[in-house]
Amino acid sequence: MRHAAILLITLLALASRGDERVERELARMSDADRVAQLMLVGFTGTEPNAELRRMVGERRVGAVALYARNVASTEKLLQLTAGIRGFAKGQVEPFIAVDQE
C-alpha cells in the first residue's frame, strides 16, 4: 500500500508540473484514447495473445498487469515486457505492473 501511495504522489506531482511532452501527447489523443489510458488489462499465458496486441496497439490501453501465470523466467519476462512496449508502435507505452504475491 505504501508503494501505491508513493506512486500516486509522484504521478500527481508530475501532472501538476504541466510537462509539455505530456500536454502535447494529450492534445493528440482522441477522447477514446484518453479513456483507454485509464484502463489496466491482463491476459493468460506466457506469450501475448492477439487481444493484448490489439488492446495495446490499437486501443492504447494505459497499463498491463502481469501475474505469475504470465512469467516463465526472468529472461522471458524481459522479452515479454519489451514485446508489450513494442505493441505501442511509437505511441505512449503502457505502464507494466507485475504482481509479486
Side-chain angles (χ1 to χ4, degrees):
M1 184 66 166
R2 180 176 177 215
H3 295 291
I6 292 169
L7 177 61
L8 179 59
I9 291 167
T10 303
L11 291 173
L12 290 173
L14 289 172
S16 68
R17 274 191 355 195
D19 189 319
E20 290 180 26
R21 293 171 298 165
V22 172
E23 296 299 324
R24 277 194 309 269
E25 188 60 37
L26 284 172
R28 292 189 329 194
M29 288 182 180
S30 68
D31 289 343
D33 288 339
R34 289 185 195 127
V35 170
Q37 285 294 300
L38 301 173
M39 295 182 180
L40 176 121
V41 299
F43 65 100
T44 57
T46 57
E47 297 290 327
N49 57 31
E51 182 65 12
L52 181 66
R53 286 184 186 94
R54 188 177 70 75
M55 294 298 287
V56 173
E58 296 174 22
R59 298 289 185 202
R60 299 179 68 177
V61 296
V64 175
L66 300 178
Y67 299 94
R69 67 178 182 244
N70 305 118
V71 181
S73 68
T74 303
E75 183 178 319
K76 289 285 189 182
L77 178 62
L78 292 171
Q79 292 172 358
L80 178 60
T81 56
I84 291 170
R85 289 191 314 268
F87 299 152
K89 302 175 189 168
Q91 303 295 327
V92 176
E93 294 177 1
F95 177 82
I96 299 174
V98 178
D99 181 43
Q100 289 186 267
E101 287 186 46

